[in-house]
Coordinates of all heavy atoms in Angstrom, one line a residue:
M1408 N 24.3 18.2 -37.6 CA 22.9 18.1 -37.8 C 22.3 17.4 -36.6 O 21.2 17.7 -36.2 CB 22.7 17.2 -39.1 CG 23.1 17.9 -40.3 SD 21.7 18.8 -40.8 CE 21.1 18.4 -42.2
L1409 N 22.9 16.4 -36.1 CA 22.3 15.6 -34.9 C 22.4 16.4 -33.6 O 21.7 16.1 -32.7 CB 23.0 14.3 -34.8 CG 22.3 13.3 -33.9 CD1 20.9 13.0 -34.3 CD2 23.1 12.0 -33.9
A1410 N 23.4 17.3 -33.5 CA 23.7 18.0 -32.3 C 22.5 18.9 -31.8 O 22.2 18.9 -30.6 CB 25.0 18.8 -32.3
A1411 N 21.9 19.6 -32.7 CA 20.8 20.5 -32.4 C 19.6 19.7 -31.8 O 19.1 20.1 -30.8 CB 20.4 21.3 -33.6
P1412 N 19.1 18.6 -32.5 CA 18.0 17.9 -31.8 C 18.4 17.3 -30.5 O 17.5 17.3 -29.6 CB 17.7 16.8 -32.8 CG 18.2 17.3 -34.1 CD 19.4 18.2 -33.8
L1413 N 19.6 16.8 -30.3 CA 20.0 16.3 -29.0 C 20.1 17.4 -27.9 O 19.7 17.1 -26.8 CB 21.4 15.6 -29.2 CG 21.4 14.2 -29.9 CD1 22.8 13.7 -30.0 CD2 20.5 13.2 -29.2
C1414 N 20.5 18.5 -28.4 CA 20.5 19.7 -27.4 C 19.1 20.0 -26.9 O 18.9 20.2 -25.8 CB 21.2 20.9 -28.0 SG 21.3 22.3 -26.9
C1415 N 18.2 20.0 -27.9 CA 16.8 20.3 -27.5 C 16.2 19.2 -26.6 O 15.5 19.6 -25.6 CB 15.9 20.4 -28.8 SG 16.3 21.9 -29.8
V1416 N 16.5 18.0 -26.8 CA 16.1 16.9 -26.0 C 16.7 17.1 -24.6 O 16.0 16.9 -23.6 CB 16.4 15.5 -26.6 CG1 16.2 14.4 -25.6 CG2 15.6 15.3 -27.8
F1417 N 17.9 17.4 -24.5 CA 18.6 17.6 -23.2 C 17.9 18.7 -22.4 O 17.6 18.6 -21.2 CB 20.1 17.9 -23.4 CG 20.8 18.2 -22.1 CD1 21.1 17.2 -21.2 CD2 21.1 19.5 -21.8 CE1 21.7 17.4 -20.0 CE2 21.8 19.7 -20.6 CZ 22.1 18.7 -19.7
V1418 N 17.7 19.9 -23.1 CA 17.0 21.0 -22.5 C 15.6 20.6 -22.0 O 15.2 21.0 -20.9 CB 17.0 22.2 -23.4 CG1 16.1 23.3 -22.8 CG2 18.4 22.7 -23.6
F1419 N 14.9 20.0 -22.8 CA 13.5 19.6 -22.5 C 13.5 18.6 -21.3 O 12.7 18.8 -20.3 CB 12.9 18.9 -23.7 CG 11.5 18.3 -23.4 CD1 10.4 19.2 -23.3 CD2 11.3 17.0 -23.1 CE1 9.1 18.8 -23.0 CE2 10.0 16.5 -22.8 CZ 8.9 17.4 -22.7
C1420 N 14.5 17.7 -21.2 CA 14.5 16.7 -20.1 C 14.9 17.5 -18.8 O 14.4 17.2 -17.8 CB 15.5 15.7 -20.4 SG 15.0 14.5 -21.6
T1421 N 15.9 18.4 -18.9 CA 16.3 19.2 -17.8 C 15.1 20.0 -17.2 O 14.9 20.0 -16.0 CB 17.5 20.1 -18.1 OG1 18.5 19.3 -18.6 CG2 18.0 20.9 -16.9
V1422 N 14.4 20.7 -18.1 CA 13.3 21.5 -17.6 C 12.2 20.6 -17.0 O 11.6 20.9 -16.0 CB 12.8 22.4 -18.8 CG1 11.5 23.1 -18.4 CG2 13.8 23.4 -19.2
S1423 N 11.9 19.5 -17.6 CA 10.9 18.6 -17.1 C 11.3 18.0 -15.8 O 10.4 18.0 -14.9 CB 10.7 17.4 -18.1 OG 10.2 17.9 -19.3
I1424 N 12.5 17.7 -15.6 CA 13.0 17.2 -14.3 C 12.8 18.3 -13.2 O 12.3 18.0 -12.1 CB 14.4 16.7 -14.3 CG1 14.4 15.4 -15.1 CG2 15.0 16.5 -12.9 CD1 15.8 14.9 -15.5
R1425 N 13.2 19.5 -13.5 CA 13.0 20.6 -12.5 C 11.6 20.9 -12.2 O 11.2 21.1 -11.0 CB 13.7 21.9 -13.0 CG 15.2 21.8 -13.0 CD 15.8 23.1 -13.4 NE 17.2 22.9 -13.5 CZ 18.1 23.9 -13.2 NH1 17.7 25.0 -12.8 NH2 19.4 23.6 -13.3
I1426 N 10.7 20.9 -13.2 CA 9.3 21.1 -12.9 C 8.7 19.9 -12.1 O 7.9 20.2 -11.1 CB 8.5 21.2 -14.3 CG1 8.9 22.6 -15.0 CG2 7.0 21.1 -14.1 CD1 8.4 22.7 -16.4
T1427 N 9.1 18.7 -12.4 CA 8.6 17.5 -11.7 C 9.1 17.6 -10.2 O 8.3 17.4 -9.3 CB 9.1 16.3 -12.3 OG1 8.6 16.2 -13.7 CG2 8.6 15.1 -11.5
N1428 N 10.3 18.0 -10.0 CA 10.8 18.1 -8.6 C 10.1 19.2 -7.8 O 9.8 19.0 -6.7 CB 12.4 18.5 -8.7 CG 13.2 17.2 -8.9 OD1 12.8 16.1 -8.7 ND2 14.4 17.5 -9.4
N1429 N 9.7 20.3 -8.5 CA 8.9 21.3 -7.8 C 7.6 20.8 -7.5 O 7.0 21.0 -6.4 CB 8.8 22.6 -8.7 CG 10.0 23.4 -8.6 OD1 10.8 23.3 -7.6 ND2 10.2 24.3 -9.5
L1430 N 7.0 20.0 -8.4 CA 5.6 19.5 -8.2 C 5.6 18.5 -7.0 O 4.7 18.5 -6.2 CB 5.1 18.8 -9.4 CG 4.7 19.7 -10.5 CD1 4.3 19.0 -11.8 CD2 3.5 20.7 -10.1
I1431 N 6.7 17.7 -6.8 CA 6.7 16.7 -5.8 C 7.3 17.2 -4.5 O 7.1 16.6 -3.4 CB 7.4 15.4 -6.2 CG1 8.9 15.7 -6.4 CG2 6.8 14.8 -7.4 CD1 9.7 14.5 -6.7
S1432 N 7.9 18.4 -4.5 CA 8.5 19.0 -3.3 C 7.7 20.1 -2.6 O 7.9 20.4 -1.5 CB 9.9 19.6 -3.7 OG 10.7 18.6 -4.2
L1433 N 6.8 20.7 -3.4 CA 6.0 21.8 -2.8 C 4.6 21.5 -2.6 O 3.9 20.8 -3.4 CB 6.0 23.0 -3.8 CG 7.4 23.7 -4.0 CD1 7.3 24.8 -5.0 CD2 8.0 24.2 -2.7
D1434 N 4.1 21.9 -1.4 CA 2.6 21.8 -1.2 C 1.9 22.7 -2.2 O 2.2 23.9 -2.2 CB 2.3 22.2 0.3 CG 0.9 22.0 0.6 OD1 0.1 23.0 0.3 OD2 0.5 21.0 1.2
P1435 N 0.9 22.2 -2.9 CA 0.3 23.0 -3.9 C -0.6 24.2 -3.3 O -0.7 25.2 -4.0 CB -0.7 22.1 -4.6 CG -0.8 20.9 -3.7 CD 0.4 20.8 -2.9
L1436 N -1.0 24.1 -2.1 CA -1.8 25.2 -1.5 C -0.9 26.3 -1.0 O -1.2 27.5 -1.3 CB -2.7 24.6 -0.4 CG -3.6 25.6 0.4 CD1 -4.6 26.2 -0.6 CD2 -4.2 25.0 1.6
I1437 N 0.1 26.0 -0.2 CA 0.8 27.0 0.5 C 2.2 27.3 -0.2 O 2.9 28.3 0.2 CB 1.1 26.7 2.0 CG1 1.8 25.4 2.1 CG2 -0.2 26.6 2.7 CD1 2.2 25.0 3.5
Q1438 N 2.5 26.5 -1.2 CA 3.8 26.7 -2.0 C 5.0 26.7 -1.0 O 5.9 27.5 -1.2 CB 3.7 28.0 -2.8 CG 2.7 28.0 -3.9 CD 3.0 26.9 -4.9 OE1 4.1 26.8 -5.5 NE2 2.1 26.0 -5.1
M1439 N 5.0 25.8 0.0 CA 6.1 25.6 0.8 C 6.6 24.1 0.7 O 5.8 23.3 0.3 CB 5.8 26.0 2.3 CG 5.5 27.4 2.5 SD 5.2 27.8 4.2 CE 6.8 27.7 4.9
N1440 N 7.8 23.9 1.1 CA 8.3 22.5 1.0 C 7.5 21.6 1.8 O 7.0 21.9 3.0 CB 9.8 22.5 1.5 CG 10.7 23.1 0.5 OD1 10.4 23.1 -0.7 ND2 11.8 23.6 1.0
N1441 N 7.3 20.4 1.4 CA 6.5 19.4 2.1 C 7.5 18.4 2.8 O 8.7 18.6 2.9 CB 5.6 18.6 1.1 CG 6.4 17.9 0.0 OD1 7.6 17.6 0.1 ND2 5.7 17.6 -1.1
R1442 N 6.9 17.4 3.4 CA 7.6 16.4 4.2 C 8.7 15.7 3.4 O 9.8 15.4 3.9 CB 6.7 15.4 4.9 CG 7.4 14.6 5.9 CD 6.4 13.7 6.6 NE 6.6 12.4 6.1 CZ 5.8 11.4 6.1 NH1 4.5 11.6 6.6 NH2 6.1 10.2 5.7
G1443 N 8.4 15.4 2.2 CA 9.3 14.7 1.3 C 10.6 15.5 1.1 O 11.7 15.0 1.1
Q1444 N 10.4 16.8 0.9 CA 11.5 17.7 0.7 C 12.4 17.8 2.0 O 13.6 17.8 1.9 CB 11.1 19.1 0.2 CG 12.2 20.0 -0.1 CD 13.1 19.5 -1.3 OE1 12.6 18.8 -2.1 NE2 14.4 19.8 -1.3
L1445 N 11.7 17.9 3.1 CA 12.3 17.9 4.4 C 13.2 16.6 4.5 O 14.4 16.7 5.0 CB 11.4 17.9 5.6 CG 11.9 17.8 6.9 CD1 12.9 18.9 7.2 CD2 10.8 17.8 8.0
Q1446 N 12.7 15.5 4.1 CA 13.5 14.2 4.2 C 14.7 14.3 3.3 O 15.8 13.8 3.7 CB 12.6 13.0 3.8 CG 13.3 11.7 4.0 CD 13.7 11.5 5.5 OE1 12.9 11.6 6.4 NE2 14.9 11.1 5.7
R1447 N 14.6 14.9 2.1 CA 15.7 15.0 1.2 C 16.8 15.9 1.8 O 18.0 15.7 1.8 CB 15.3 15.5 -0.1 CG 14.6 14.4 -1.0 CD 14.3 14.9 -2.4 NE 13.1 15.7 -2.5 CZ 11.9 15.2 -2.4 NH1 11.7 14.0 -2.3 NH2 10.9 16.0 -2.5
Y1448 N 16.3 17.0 2.5 CA 17.3 17.9 3.2 C 18.0 17.2 4.3 O 19.2 17.3 4.5 CB 16.6 19.1 3.8 CG 16.2 20.2 2.8 CD1 15.0 20.9 3.0 CD2 17.0 20.5 1.8 CE1 14.6 21.8 2.1 CE2 16.6 21.6 0.9 CZ 15.4 22.2 1.0 OH 15.0 23.1 0.2
I1449 N 17.3 16.4 5.1 CA 17.9 15.6 6.2 C 18.9 14.6 5.6 O 20.0 14.5 6.2 CB 16.8 15.0 7.0 CG1 16.0 16.0 7.8 CG2 17.4 13.9 8.0 CD1 14.8 15.5 8.5
D1450 N 18.5 14.0 4.5 CA 19.5 13.0 3.9 C 20.7 13.7 3.4 O 21.8 13.1 3.4 CB 18.8 12.3 2.7 CG 17.7 11.4 3.2 OD1 17.6 11.0 4.4 OD2 16.8 11.0 2.3
Q1451 N 20.7 15.0 3.0 CA 21.8 15.7 2.6 C 22.6 16.4 3.7 O 23.7 16.9 3.5 CB 21.4 16.8 1.6 CG 20.9 16.2 0.3 CD 20.3 17.4 -0.6 OE1 20.3 18.5 -0.2 NE2 20.0 17.0 -1.8
D1452 N 22.0 16.3 4.9 CA 22.6 17.0 6.1 C 24.1 16.6 6.3 O 24.9 17.4 6.6 CB 21.8 16.7 7.3 CG 22.3 17.5 8.5 OD1 22.4 18.8 8.3 OD2 22.4 17.0 9.6
S1453 N 24.4 15.4 6.1 CA 25.8 14.9 6.3 C 26.8 15.7 5.4 O 27.8 16.1 5.7 CB 26.0 13.4 6.1 OG 25.6 13.0 4.8
N1454 N 26.3 16.0 4.1 CA 27.1 16.7 3.2 C 27.2 18.2 3.7 O 28.3 18.8 3.6 CB 26.5 16.7 1.8 CG 26.5 15.3 1.2 OD1 27.4 14.5 1.5 ND2 25.6 15.1 0.3
L1455 N 26.2 18.7 4.2 CA 26.2 20.1 4.7 C 27.1 20.2 5.9 O 27.8 21.2 6.1 CB 24.8 20.6 5.0 CG 23.8 20.7 3.9 CD1 22.4 21.0 4.4 CD2 24.2 21.7 2.9
Y1456 N 27.1 19.2 6.7 CA 27.9 19.2 8.0 C 29.4 19.2 7.6 O 30.2 19.9 8.1 CB 27.6 17.9 8.8 CG 28.4 17.9 10.1 CD1 28.1 18.8 11.1 CD2 29.4 17.0 10.2 CE1 28.8 18.7 12.3 CE2 30.2 17.0 11.4 CZ 29.9 17.8 12.4 OH 30.5 17.8 13.6
R1457 N 29.8 18.4 6.6 CA 31.2 18.4 6.1 C 31.6 19.8 5.6 O 32.7 20.2 5.7 CB 31.4 17.4 5.1 CG 31.6 16.0 5.7 CD 31.9 15.0 4.6 NE 30.6 14.3 4.4 CZ 30.2 13.8 3.3 NH1 31.1 13.7 2.2 NH2 29.1 13.2 3.2
E1458 N 30.6 20.6 5.0 CA 30.9 21.8 4.4 C 30.9 22.9 5.4 O 31.1 24.1 5.1 CB 30.0 22.1 3.3 CG 30.2 21.2 2.1 CD 29.1 21.4 1.1 OE1 28.3 22.4 1.1 OE2 29.0 20.5 0.2
G1459 N 30.6 22.6 6.7 CA 30.6 23.6 7.8 C 29.3 24.4 7.8 O 29.2 25.4 8.5
L1460 N 28.2 23.9 7.2 CA 27.0 24.6 7.2 C 26.0 24.0 8.3 O 26.1 22.8 8.5 CB 26.3 24.6 5.9 CG 27.1 25.2 4.7 CD1 26.4 24.9 3.4 CD2 27.3 26.7 4.9
K1461 N 25.1 24.8 8.8 CA 24.2 24.3 9.8 C 22.8 24.2 9.2 O 22.5 25.0 8.3 CB 24.1 25.3 11.0 CG 25.4 25.3 11.8 CD 25.3 26.3 13.0 CE 26.7 26.3 13.8 NZ 26.6 27.2 14.9
T1462 N 22.1 23.3 9.7 CA 20.7 23.1 9.2 C 19.7 23.4 10.3 O 19.9 22.8 11.4 CB 20.5 21.7 8.7 OG1 21.4 21.4 7.7 CG2 19.1 21.4 8.1
Y1463 N 18.7 24.2 10.0 CA 17.7 24.5 11.0 C 16.3 24.0 10.5 O 16.1 24.2 9.3 CB 17.6 26.0 11.4 CG 18.9 26.4 12.0 CD1 19.9 27.0 11.2 CD2 19.1 26.3 13.4 CE1 21.1 27.4 11.8 CE2 20.3 26.7 14.0 CZ 21.3 27.3 13.2 OH 22.4 27.7 13.7
V1464 N 15.5 23.5 11.3 CA 14.1 23.1 10.9 C 13.1 23.7 11.9 O 13.3 23.6 13.1 CB 14.0 21.6 10.9 CG1 12.5 21.2 10.6 CG2 14.9 20.9 10.0
I1465 N 12.1 24.4 11.3 CA 11.1 25.0 12.1 C 9.8 24.2 11.8 O 9.4 24.1 10.7 CB 10.9 26.5 11.8 CG1 12.1 27.3 12.2 CG2 9.7 27.0 12.6 CD1 12.1 28.7 11.7
M1466 N 9.2 23.7 12.9 CA 7.9 22.9 12.7 C 6.9 23.6 13.7 O 7.2 23.9 14.8 CB 8.1 21.5 13.0 CG 9.1 20.8 12.1 SD 9.3 19.0 12.5 CE 8.1 18.4 11.4
I1467 N 5.7 23.7 13.2 CA 4.6 24.3 14.0 C 3.5 23.4 14.0 O 3.0 22.8 13.0 CB 4.2 25.7 13.3 CG1 5.3 26.7 13.3 CG2 3.0 26.2 14.1 CD1 4.9 27.9 12.5
D1468 N 3.0 23.1 15.2 CA 1.8 22.3 15.4 C 0.6 23.2 15.8 O 0.6 23.9 16.7 CB 2.1 21.3 16.6 CG 0.9 20.3 16.8 OD1 0.1 20.2 15.9 OD2 0.8 19.7 17.9
V1469 N -0.4 23.1 14.9 CA -1.5 23.9 15.0 C -2.6 23.0 15.7 O -3.2 22.1 15.1 CB -2.0 24.5 13.7 CG1 -3.3 25.4 13.9 CG2 -0.9 25.2 13.0
N1470 N -2.9 23.3 16.9 CA -4.0 22.6 17.7 C -5.3 22.9 17.2 O -5.6 24.1 17.0 CB -3.8 22.8 19.2 CG -2.5 22.2 19.7 OD1 -2.0 21.2 19.2 ND2 -1.9 22.9 20.7
D1471 N -6.2 22.0 17.1 CA -7.6 22.1 16.8 C -7.9 22.9 15.5 O -8.8 23.6 15.3 CB -8.3 22.8 17.9 CG -8.2 22.1 19.3 OD1 -8.4 20.8 19.2 OD2 -8.1 22.7 20.3
F1472 N -7.0 22.7 14.5 CA -7.2 23.3 13.2 C -8.4 22.8 12.5 O -9.1 23.6 11.8 CB -5.9 23.1 12.3 CG -5.9 23.9 11.1 CD1 -5.6 25.2 11.1 CD2 -6.3 23.3 9.9 CE1 -5.6 26.0 10.0 CE2 -6.3 24.1 8.7 CZ -6.0 25.4 8.7
K1473 N -8.8 21.6 12.8 CA -10.0 21.0 12.2 C -11.2 21.8 12.6 O -12.2 21.8 11.8 CB -10.1 19.5 12.6 CG -11.2 18.8 12.0 CD -11.2 17.3 12.5 CE -12.3 16.5 11.9 NZ -13.7 17.1 12.0
S1474 N -11.2 22.4 13.7 CA -12.4 23.2 14.1 C -12.7 24.3 13.2 O -13.8 24.7 13.0 CB -12.3 23.6 15.6 OG -11.2 24.6 15.7
I1475 N -11.6 24.9 12.6 CA -11.8 26.0 11.6 C -12.6 25.4 10.5 O -13.5 26.1 10.0 CB -10.5 26.6 11.2 CG1 -9.8 27.3 12.4 CG2 -10.7 27.6 10.1 CD1 -8.4 27.8 12.2
D1476 N -12.1 24.3 9.9 CA -12.8 23.7 8.8 C -14.3 23.4 9.2 O -15.2 23.6 8.4 CB -12.1 22.4 8.3 CG -10.8 22.7 7.5 OD1 -10.7 23.8 7.1 OD2 -10.0 21.7 7.4
D1477 N -14.5 22.8 10.3 CA -15.8 22.3 10.7 C -16.8 23.5 10.9 O -17.9 23.4 10.6 CB -15.7 21.5 12.0 CG -15.1 20.1 11.7 OD1 -14.9 19.7 10.5 OD2 -14.7 19.5 12.7
T1478 N -16.2 24.6 11.5 CA -17.0 25.7 11.8 C -17.3 26.7 10.6 O -18.4 27.1 10.3 CB -16.4 26.6 12.9 OG1 -16.2 25.7 14.1 CG2 -17.3 27.7 13.4
F1479 N -16.2 27.0 9.9 CA -16.3 28.0 8.8 C -16.2 27.4 7.4 O -16.3 28.2 6.4 CB -15.2 29.0 9.0 CG -15.3 29.7 10.4 CD1 -14.4 29.4 11.4 CD2 -16.2 30.7 10.7 CE1 -14.4 30.0 12.6 CE2 -16.3 31.3 11.9 CZ -15.4 30.9 12.9
G1480 N -15.9 26.2 7.3 CA -15.8 25.5 6.0 C -14.3 25.4 5.5 O -13.5 26.1 6.0
H1481 N -14.1 24.6 4.5 CA -12.8 24.2 4.1 C -12.1 25.4 3.4 O -10.9 25.6 3.5 CB -12.8 23.0 3.2 CG -13.1 21.8 3.9 ND1 -12.2 21.1 4.7 CD2 -14.3 21.0 3.9 CE1 -12.8 20.1 5.2 NE2 -14.0 20.0 4.8
A1482 N -12.9 26.2 2.7 CA -12.3 27.4 2.0 C -11.7 28.3 3.0 O -10.5 28.9 2.8 CB -13.3 28.1 1.1
E1483 N -12.4 28.6 4.1 CA -11.8 29.4 5.2 C -10.6 28.8 5.8 O -9.7 29.4 6.2 CB -12.9 29.8 6.2 CG -12.6 30.9 7.1 CD -12.3 32.2 6.3 OE1 -12.9 32.5 5.3 OE2 -11.4 33.0 6.8
G1484 N -10.7 27.5 6.0 CA -9.6 26.7 6.6 C -8.4 26.9 5.8 O -7.3 27.0 6.3
D1485 N -8.5 26.8 4.4 CA -7.4 26.9 3.5 C -6.8 28.3 3.6 O -5.6 28.5 3.7 CB -7.8 26.7 2.0 CG -8.1 25.2 1.7 OD1 -7.8 24.4 2.6 OD2 -8.6 25.0 0.6
R1486 N -7.7 29.3 3.7 CA -7.2 30.7 3.8 C -6.4 30.9 5.2 O -5.3 31.5 5.2 CB -8.3 31.7 3.8 CG -8.8 32.0 2.4 CD -9.7 33.2 2.3 NE -11.1 32.9 2.8 CZ -12.0 32.3 2.0 NH1 -11.7 32.0 0.8 NH2 -13.2 32.0 2.5
A1487 N -6.9 30.3 6.2 CA -6.2 30.4 7.5 C -4.9 29.6 7.4 O -3.8 30.1 8.0 CB -7.0 29.7 8.6
F1488 N -4.8 28.5 6.7 CA -3.6 27.7 6.6 C -2.6 28.5 5.7 O -1.4 28.5 6.1 CB -3.9 26.4 5.9 CG -2.8 25.4 6.1 CD1 -2.3 25.1 7.3 CD2 -2.4 24.7 5.0 CE1 -1.3 24.1 7.4 CE2 -1.4 23.8 5.0 CZ -0.8 23.5 6.3
I1489 N -3.0 29.2 4.7 CA -2.1 30.0 3.9 C -1.6 31.1 4.7 O -0.3 31.4 4.7 CB -2.9 30.5 2.6 CG1 -3.2 29.4 1.7 CG2 -2.1 31.6 1.9 CD1 -4.1 29.7 0.6
R1490 N -2.4 31.8 5.5 CA -1.9 32.9 6.3 C -0.9 32.4 7.4 O 0.1 33.1 7.7 CB -3.0 33.7 7.0 CG -3.8 34.5 6.0 CD -4.9 35.3 6.7 NE -5.5 36.1 5.7 CZ -6.1 37.3 6.0 NH1 -6.1 37.6 7.3 NH2 -6.7 38.0 5.1
L1491 N -1.2 31.3 7.9 CA -0.3 30.7 9.0 C 1.1 30.4 8.4 O 2.1 30.7 9.0 CB -0.9 29.5 9.6 CG -0.1 28.8 10.7 CD1 0.0 29.7 11.9 CD2 -0.7 27.4 11.0
S1492 N 1.0 29.8 7.2 CA 2.4 29.4 6.6 C 3.1 30.6 6.1 O 4.2 30.7 6.0 CB 2.1 28.4 5.5 OG 1.3 28.9 4.6

């Protein structure tokens, strides 16, 4: 009798944790990993190194991106940012 409710609580907690991790790991606009997730990957890098896997990071610096927002508005800047990513 007690096993079914405990199973439901476990499933609910597991799903909630996954949803929360996605919310804190993904940028809501572009749906790509944010800096916090990058830091978690770097922290795990020592484990990946032991398993013989390589880690690559690509970073892009967009110069004068603010001028898009200032000239065409934030909505257009968001669209440009989404296309860039």
Side-chain angles (χ1 to χ4, degrees):
M1408 289 277 240
L1409 189 60
L1413 286 177
C1414 181
C1415 289
V1416 168
F1417 177 75
V1418 169
F1419 178 77
C1420 288
T1421 303
V1422 170
S1423 295
I1424 289 170
R1425 286 182 185 215
I1426 290 171
T1427 302
N1428 281 339
N1429 280 341
L1430 288 173
I1431 63 174
S1432 299
L1433 293 177
D1434 181 279
L1436 178 64
I1437 60 173
Q1438 294 298 306
M1439 292 182 73
N1440 289 331
N1441 59 20
R1442 192 178 106 202
Q1444 186 62 32
L1445 174 62
Q1446 186 61 49
R1447 283 186 282 284
Y1448 284 142
I1449 291 170
D1450 292 343
Q1451 292 175 354
D1452 187 48
S1453 61
N1454 293 332
L1455 296 174
Y1456 182 74
R1457 276 183 264 156
E1458 295 171 10
L1460 300 173
K1461 295 181 180 180
T1462 303
Y1463 297 95
V1464 175
I1465 298 174
M1466 299 180 92
I1467 300 172
D1468 182 18
V1469 182
N1470 293 327
D1471 299 322
F1472 189 79
K1473 185 179 180 306
S1474 65
I1475 295 173
D1476 282 344
D1477 292 344
T1478 305
F1479 302 105
H1481 291 285
E1483 194 60 36
D1485 286 351
R1486 282 191 282 280
F1488 196 51
I1489 291 168
R1490 286 182 177 210
L1491 178 65
S1492 57

